[in-house]
Amino acid sequence: MRNAPTILHLDMDAFFASVEQASKPSLRGKAVVVGGLGPRGVVATASYEARVFGVHSAMPMAQARRLAPNAAYLVPRFGLYRSISEQVMALLRELSPLVEPLSLDEAFVDLEAGGTAWDEASARLAGVKLRADIRAGTGLTGSVGLAASKMLAKIASEEAKPDGLVLIEPGTERALLGPMSVRTLPGVGPATGDHLRRAGITTVDELAEAGEDELVRLVGKAHGHALYAMALAHDERPVVAERETKSVSVEDTYDVDIHDRIRVGLEVQRLADRCVRRLRGAGLSGRTIVLKVRRYDFSTLTRSETLRGPTDDPAVVREAAARLLDPVDTTGGVRLLGVGVSGLADYTQEDLFAQAAGEGADPSAEEAVAEPVAEEAARAERRWPSGHDVRHTEYGHGWVQGSGLGRVTVRFETPDSEPGRVRTFRVDDPALEPADPLPLVSRRQVDGEGGADGGLEGAAHSGGGSGGGVE
């Protein structure tokens, strides 16, 4: 391990929910839950105000509604989240060429590789400035951990949440980790944690005292060796700038099981098209097509077919997915469908349409079939998703508070306005239309408030920021 805390871990605080609060003045300081709103939806992110009621990520949405019935429940706006994530990642790349994104809201940075930090003082300054720049540029907060290894930097950022900075000084790692729960360590989930607890091991100190041989006996060779190394605070993993994408996939969970075989086939075609759009957006192609089907009884089938070479042709992927679906029994009902592509490459093989659809097939005919499917899916979707942006010709910019029974309720406000008024319209009101999200921070604010915020210094010492749920 290093002798200076020059690995930084950034974790944005309740990212999706914080974006929604920043864009909607009426929701600031209130419980906000973002995720799928259907009967089978799950929570993507809950604001810290919602976490007080026990709501957390990956919880069934129905359970979240029981725990926090008065929270605001919103449909995700992934396009906006990605654009803000790109802003944050650009700030990280100003610190170092070695940035390892883990998700839209989380990344490791090797400060030493960028010449940004070489000791404790310079690392702390880099962390303080980063948090200030994120706040100035996006209006959001992020928690920062600084340590001599990736494992400890991530643990530090968890200790810093929300809106704090924690630096672990080299040489103090063992003393810090010792009293912590074994669940603090990466890879120790509920099942492994329970298994260790039954063996009388609940803290990292007890893990180290058990010894490597005992851990191998308890959890297996590979996991046992890794656990023992982590208990001793050993972690030599480098920050890797480019993480190889292994697959691209999309899936949908349906509020009501699909029994109609024709509808199942149409859904698979729609998913195949979505998957190809995502594939092309990443500049990739792939040669293995994967179909996932979860049936009414929760049994899940995965089927795959490998082509002669990589493709990003929607007709090829649709045809392969249809062939994979053909032998699958769906008579009892389907609750989830997914289509994916793996075996990725950055080129395509132009003659692959023939192998999937036949030499004499007409690609334009396949595209013609897809158009009605897409139109039908668009009509089936909710026209006014909760939380999404709209514009009214008279009242201006707002967001959907709810819809149903032919009506849509809109709150008219913007990120830099006061909490706005609520009005209700017919869902087909010609004066109301979907709109693009507004920037969370105006250019005027960015130009006038750039630079580090002195108020952040107080939270930038070891132990700064309170503990909280990790997103």
Side-chain angles (χ1 to χ4, degrees):
M1 286 200 339
R2 308 178 180 205
N3 55 13
T6 53
I7 292 182
L8 179 148
H9 181 259
L10 170 73
D11 197 352
M12 298 296 289
D13 298 323
F15 183 50
F16 297 171
S18 293
V19 169
E20 299 300 342
Q21 289 175 317
S23 67
K24 301 172 172 64
S26 58
L27 297 184
R28 292 170 192 168
K30 298 182 179 178
V32 174
V33 181
V34 180
L37 302 190
R40 292 175 177 168
V42 297
V43 175
T45 307
S47 70
Y48 287 100
E49 295 85 355
R51 296 180 191 190
V52 171
F53 298 98
V55 180
H56 58 77
S57 300
M59 171 183 284
M61 191 61 76
Q63 183 182 355
R65 288 185 183 276
R66 289 194 295 270
L67 292 172
N70 296 320
Y73 289 86
L74 307 177
V75 176
R77 297 186 291 168
F78 287 112
L80 176 60
Y81 306 152
R82 288 192 191 96
S83 68
I84 296 170
S85 173
E86 288 169 2
Q87 286 181 261
V88 173
M89 296 300 166
L91 290 173
L92 297 183
R93 292 187 180 96
E94 291 178 7
L95 297 175
S96 173
L98 291 185
V99 176
E100 182 178 341
L102 303 179
S103 62
L104 289 177
D105 62 336
E106 185 180 2
F108 287 109
V109 184
D110 187 334
L111 298 176
E112 187 177 321
T116 309
W118 50 91
D119 60 11
E120 180 182 337
S122 57
R124 189 185 299 280
L125 285 174
V128 170
K129 184 178 185 302
L130 172 64
R131 292 179 59 241
D133 288 346
I134 289 172
R135 187 191 293 271
T138 68
L140 304 176
T141 64
S143 296
V144 166
L146 292 157
S149 71
K150 290 169 70 172
M151 178 186 77
L152 290 162
K154 183 171 175 60
I155 289 173
S157 70
E158 291 171 359
E159 292 293 307
K161 279 188 167 292
D163 191 20
L165 184 154
V166 167
L167 183 149
I168 298 176
E169 298 177 8
T172 67
E173 295 94 348
R174 288 287 304 276
L176 176 78
L177 283 176
M180 290 185 173
S181 165
V182 292
R183 291 289 305 277
T184 304
L185 300 178
V188 181
T192 302
D194 287 344
H195 189 57
L196 292 171
R197 180 179 52 78
R198 288 193 294 270
I201 300 172
T202 59
T203 68
V204 177
D205 263 344
E206 291 168 346
L207 204 61
E209 290 169 4
E212 190 168 14
D213 291 342
E214 176 64 8
L215 293 178
V216 167
R217 187 187 69 81
L218 286 171
V219 298
K221 186 174 181 180
H223 203 182
H225 289 316
L227 274 180
Y228 186 66
M230 287 189 290
L232 299 180
H234 293 166
D235 179 18
E236 301 294 341
R237 294 174 301 157
V239 176
V240 181
E242 297 296 332
R243 295 168 62 88
E244 181 182 359
T245 301
K246 295 182 179 180
S247 65
V248 173
S249 64
V250 296
E251 61 182 42
D252 278 344
T253 299
Y254 303 99
D255 293 343
V256 178
D257 290 348
I258 302 175
H259 292 83
D260 183 350
R261 181 71 180 193
I262 295 176
R263 168 84 188 284
V264 172
L266 291 174
E267 287 294 318
V268 168
Q269 289 190 38
R270 182 177 64 84
L271 289 166
D273 287 341
R274 278 176 53 197
C275 184
V276 169
R277 286 197 295 273
R278 183 172 294 182
L279 194 71
R280 287 180 169 179
L284 297 170
S285 60
R287 61 193 302 263
T288 299
I289 315 303
V290 181
L291 175 71
K292 179 179 177 181
V293 180
R294 180 167 297 150
R295 297 185 289 197
Y296 69 99
D297 58 357
F298 284 87
S299 61
T300 303
L301 303 176
T302 302
R303 301 288 184 266
S304 64
E305 175 182 320
T306 299
L307 308 175
R308 290 199 302 266
T311 184
D312 65 353
D313 189 320
V316 174
V317 177
R318 282 199 301 269
E319 286 290 325
R323 285 196 299 275
L324 293 169
L325 174 66
D326 189 54
V328 177
D329 180 10
T330 62
T331 53
V334 171
R335 60 181 287 121
L336 177 148
L337 289 167
V339 174
V341 177
S342 61
L344 301 182
D346 56 3
Y347 66 94
T348 61
Q349 186 168 311
E350 295 296 333
D351 65 350
L352 283 178
F353 182 83
Q355 82 175 31
E359 293 291 345
D362 179 7
S364 63
E366 292 291 337
E367 296 292 346
V369 171
E371 287 302 322
V373 174
E375 291 177 7
E376 179 181 329
R379 286 196 298 268
E381 292 176 359
R382 296 180 63 189
R383 185 177 174 186
W384 305 111
S386 295
H388 283 224
D389 298 84
V390 295
R391 174 165 286 280
H392 191 276
T393 54
E394 179 180 353
Y395 301 110
H397 192 93
W399 57 277
V400 176
Q401 217 170 252
S403 63
L405 301 177
R407 300 284 176 178
V408 54
T409 300
V410 178
R411 185 180 288 274
F412 291 97
E413 59 187 7
T414 64
D416 55 359
S417 74
E418 296 295 319
R421 297 186 62 181
V422 174
R423 297 184 182 275
T424 300
F425 308 91
R426 298 192 319 272
V427 294
D428 58 353
D429 191 322
L432 190 69
E433 60 184 15
D436 291 331
L438 297 176
L440 300 187
V441 177
S442 68
R443 174 50 52 191
R444 174 180 53 79
Q445 289 173 297
V446 172
D447 292 341
E449 298 178 8
D453 180 352
L456 293 177
E457 284 287 351
H461 300 286
S462 293
S466 61
V470 179
E471 185 177 307

